[in-house]
Amino acid sequence: MSATPLSWDSLSDLPAEIALPRYERQDVTPGIVHFGVGGFHRAHQAMYLDDLMNRGAALDYGIVGVGTQPADRRMRDALTGQDCLYSLVVKHADGRRDVRVIGSIVEYLFAPDDPARVLSRLVQPDTRVVSLTVTEGGYHLNQVTGEFDASDHALQADLTDLSTPRTPFGFIVEGLRRRRAAGTAPFTLVSCDNLQGNGDILRKAVVAFAQMYDADLALWIASQVPFPNSMVDRITPVTTPEDIAALKELGVEDAWPVVCEPFIQWVVEDEFTCGRPELERVGVQFVDDVTPFELMKLRLLNVSHQAVCYLGRLAGYEYAHEVFQDPLFASFALGYMAAEGTPTLSPVPGIDVGLYRTQLLERFSNPHVRDTLERLCAESSDRIPKWLVPVIHVNLQHDRPIERAALVVASWARYAEGTDEAGAWINVVDRRRDEVMKAAAAHGTDPLAFIRNVDLFGDLAANERFAAEYAWALSSLHTAGARNTVAALMSRSDPDVIRDQDARAVRGGRNGSRHAHG
C-alpha cells in the first residue's frame, strides 16, 4: 500500500480506520503556548485538547509549540512539514492499536530562528495559558537547597539582554514584562513535568529569574501570575523507526508519530487568571489541591520505574515490560510500593491505592509499548533526588523500612559504573554524567563515594542505617549480581508488607515470563 503524506489536505485520503479531527483547521485559533513539544506533550495535553475540539469546544485554545534547544530543529521540521499534524498510536496490551490524527497544534516556532515571533505570540491577549514540559532538570533548581541556580550560560545571556531570549525563562519573563507594560492580563503558567509541586517549582524559578532582572517585575509576577500544580501520567516511549514503518504500512507517512499506552490522567489545580478550556469534559480532573495525587504518582509509578530499570539493565534486559513480567523484579517493585512508598502518602481522594499498585504492574507489563530501560535510566540525577530521596528521609524519620530504596540507589550507583554484569558497555545519559561516573569509579576505595554527593543525597551518607543498607546492596550487586541481590533482600524482608491482592497480581499471569539470562 502506498503511504499518504500527512497534511490537512490529505486527511480524506487516509485509511478509514484512522480517526481524524472532526473540526476544520481554519476554525482553530491560538490560545496556548507550549515550551518543549515532545512525545509526552503530544500524547497528553495536545490529545486532551484535540478531544475537546472534536466536541466543538476550545477551538480558541490551539497550541503554538516552541522549541528553544538546537535539537528542537528536528521537531520543527517534522511538524511544519505536515501542517503540525501527527499520528497518535495507542498500543493495547492485547496487541490492538488505535490510530488517530491530532490537530490541536496550530503552529511550531523554533525560537533561535525568530525569538521576536515567539515574544509576539506571548504578548497577544488571546494567549491565556503558557505550559511547559522541559524535563525535571530544566528548572535549574539546586537538588538539595531548592534554590534557583542561574549559572547556566544561556540564562546568564538572557539576564544580560532579554530582547532576544534563549531560554523558556527568558521568554516567559520578557513576555510578562511586555504584557504588564501594555496593561494586558498575565497568562497562567502550567508545568506538565514530573515534579512534586511542579507549579510551585516553576513559580520559584520564574520569580527568582525575574528578581535578578527586575525586582519590581518579580513582585508583580509573584502576586499576579497563577502557577497551578498538576499531575500528569501517560507512559510515552521514544518513537522508533519501526513505529514509523508500521504506520507507513498502514498507509500513513508521518515524520514523527507518537506511541503511548492506553492509560492517561491529568489532575490540575483550578487556578487560572484568564479562563481555561473546559478539559473536565474530556476527563481532566480539576481540584483544589493536587498534592495527594502527585505524591502517589511520583512515589509509586515513577519510583517503581527507577526501582527496576537499573537492576533490569544490569541483568541484561532491554525493555521495561520484560523486567515487570519477571516475577522476581515485579515482586521487588511491588514490595517497594507497599512497604516504603505507600506509607509516605496521604489519602488520595477517590483512589484505591492498593488497586492503583496492581494496575501499575499491568501497565508496566504491556509488551507492545516497548518502553526502553535506557529511557527510564536517563537523567537519573534529576529523578532520584526528587522522587526517591524524599521517601527515604520520611521513612528514616519514622523508623520504617528503607532497604528497598537503598538497593535502588545502589543499583543506580552500580549502573553509573558504565558496564553491565556481562561486561557490556552502558551509555550513561545524564547531565551530571561525568560527576556521577567519577563517583561510581571510586567504589573500590570508598563504598559510599556515590552517596557522598550532598547535592544529590543530602546527608544520607552520614545516616548509619541507610549507609549500612546501601553498602550491603552495592557489595552484593558487585559479587552476586542483580537477581541474587534482589532475591536475598526479599528473603529477609517482612512477608506481610504486601497485601494479598498485590501478591495475587504478581503471581497471576506471570507464568512463562522469560529471563534475560537462560
Side-chain angles (χ1 to χ4, degrees):
M1 176 187 294
S2 61
T4 300
L6 196 57
S7 71
W8 279 95
D9 290 338
S10 69
L11 291 180
S12 60
D13 299 325
L14 297 180
E17 61 265 35
I18 296 177
L20 306 177
R22 298 196 296 271
Y23 49 88
E24 300 296 329
R25 170 64 187 86
Q26 61 267 23
D27 294 334
V28 183
T29 57
I32 296 173
V33 171
H34 184 84
F35 287 90
V37 177
F40 181 77
H41 167 71
R42 294 189 294 148
H44 193 265
Q45 182 183 359
M47 190 221 71
Y48 273 120
L49 282 160
D50 186 74
D51 280 349
L52 196 51
M53 291 174 181
N54 280 331
R55 298 188 178 202
L59 295 174
D60 56 342
Y61 279 97
I63 299 168
V64 176
V66 177
T68 61
Q69 301 296 317
D72 293 329
R73 287 184 185 274
R74 183 184 167 209
M75 184 63 72
R76 185 270 312 273
D77 294 343
L79 287 180
T80 57
Q82 49 198 44
D83 296 337
C84 289
L85 294 171
Y86 62 92
S87 308
L88 181 66
V89 182
V90 179
K91 296 183 175 182
H92 296 268
D94 61 5
R96 291 180 296 115
R97 300 190 178 195
D98 298 328
V99 183
R100 62 187 282 189
V101 175
I102 304 293
S104 54
I105 299 178
V106 297
E107 188 177 16
Y108 187 91
L109 304 178
F110 182 60
D113 283 351
D114 195 350
R117 192 172 175 185
V118 177
L119 287 172
S120 177
R121 171 44 54 195
L122 287 170
V123 301
Q124 293 298 314
D126 56 9
T127 297
R128 286 148 286 171
V129 176
V130 173
S131 52
L132 304 90
T133 44
V134 294
T135 76
E136 295 83 7
Y139 294 83
H140 301 280
L141 298 186
N142 182 279
Q143 303 281 25
V144 174
T145 67
E147 297 306 311
F148 185 68
D149 179 1
S151 61
D152 178 79
H153 177 73
L155 289 174
Q156 286 296 314
D158 279 357
L159 288 169
T160 301
D161 179 12
L162 267 185
S163 63
T164 55
R166 299 168 61 179
T167 69
F169 296 103
F171 280 108
I172 288 167
V173 169
E174 177 63 8
L176 287 170
R177 187 193 70 78
R178 295 186 183 189
R179 289 177 78 105
R180 182 192 184 202
T184 304
F187 40 67
T188 298
L189 279 159
V190 182
S191 169
C192 297
D193 282 301
N194 280 318
L195 295 163
Q196 181 182 343
N198 54 13
D200 297 333
I201 288 172
L202 179 58
R203 180 196 301 274
K204 176 175 285 190
V206 169
V207 172
F209 180 90
Q211 177 71 32
M212 297 174 185
Y213 182 73
D214 180 336
D216 187 56
L217 175 62
L219 287 173
W220 181 80
I221 292 173
S223 64
Q224 299 298 318
V225 179
F227 293 80
N229 292 304
S230 69
M231 184 271 268
V232 298
D233 189 5
R234 187 170 225 183
I235 297 172
T236 309
V238 174
T239 302
T240 66
E242 291 76 17
D243 293 320
I244 296 174
L247 264 180
K248 203 165 187 176
E249 291 180 8
L250 187 61
V252 185
E253 186 175 321
D254 188 335
W256 203 335
V258 184
V259 298
C260 62
E261 65 166 336
F263 182 91
I264 187 169
Q265 188 176 23
W266 193 8
V267 185
V268 191
E269 291 174 352
D270 200 356
E271 182 188 1
F272 290 76
T273 189
C274 295
R276 61 167 175 78
E278 296 178 287
L279 289 163
E280 61 269 32
R281 294 175 56 183
V282 291
V284 177
Q285 297 167 263
F286 287 93
V287 299
D288 294 329
D289 181 10
V290 79
T291 303
F293 297 91
E294 66 185 2
L295 286 179
M296 177 186 70
K297 194 259 183 172
L298 293 172
R299 295 182 177 183
L300 298 186
L301 185 152
N302 292 114
V303 174
S304 291
H305 268 152
Q306 307 311 121
V308 301
C309 66
Y310 314 109
L311 293 166
R313 179 64 182 83
L314 290 169
Y317 282 122
E318 182 178 0
Y319 293 100
H321 71 269
E322 296 174 329
V323 188
F324 281 101
Q325 286 178 0
D326 184 318
L328 178 67
F329 290 116
S331 295
F332 173 71
L334 196 57
Y336 158 77
M337 285 192 280
E340 300 183 28
T342 300
T344 70
L345 304 179
S346 301
V348 186
I351 301 292
D352 180 335
V353 177
L355 179 60
Y356 180 82
R357 295 195 296 258
T358 62
Q359 289 174 333
L360 287 180
L361 290 185
E362 294 170 1
R363 292 169 60 192
F364 295 160
S365 299
N366 184 333
H368 302 285
V369 172
R370 296 180 70 79
D371 201 5
T372 65
L373 296 179
E374 182 179 25
R375 183 186 81 86
L376 299 179
C377 291
E379 305 300 344
S380 300
S381 64
D382 289 327
R383 296 178 174 184
I384 294 294
K386 294 182 176 73
W387 300 346
L388 182 59
V389 170
V391 173
I392 296 169
H393 281 300
V394 171
N395 285 333
L396 284 172
Q397 291 167 8
H398 293 85
D399 197 27
R400 292 195 293 247
I402 49 89
E403 60 268 19
R404 295 170 184 82
L407 175 52
V408 176
V409 175
S411 68
W412 174 28
R414 170 64 184 86
Y415 172 89
E417 292 175 8
T419 57
D420 67 13
E421 293 171 7
W425 175 71
I426 289 175
N427 179 28
V428 177
V429 178
D430 197 296
R431 67 187 182 93
R432 294 176 177 253
R433 180 179 186 274
D434 293 343
E435 182 181 348
V436 298
M437 292 192 75
K438 181 179 179 180
H443 285 153
T445 56
D446 181 4
L448 301 184
F450 195 80
I451 61 171
R452 293 194 194 282
N453 188 327
V454 295
D455 287 340
L456 299 179
F457 300 105
D459 61 355
L460 283 182
N463 184 284
E464 292 185 5
R465 183 174 167 224
F466 179 82
E469 289 288 357
Y470 169 84
W472 172 86
L474 183 61
S475 175
S476 182
L477 288 170
H478 282 131
T479 59
R483 293 193 62 83
N484 290 333
T485 299
V486 171
L489 184 147
M490 292 179 64
S491 71
R492 64 183 176 88
S493 298
D494 183 351
D496 297 325
V497 298
I498 302 176
R499 296 179 182 176
D500 289 344
Q501 63 181 20
D502 294 340
R504 286 197 299 270
V506 172
R507 292 193 299 267
R510 297 291 194 270
N511 293 332
S513 62
R514 63 185 181 87
H515 293 184
H517 302 294

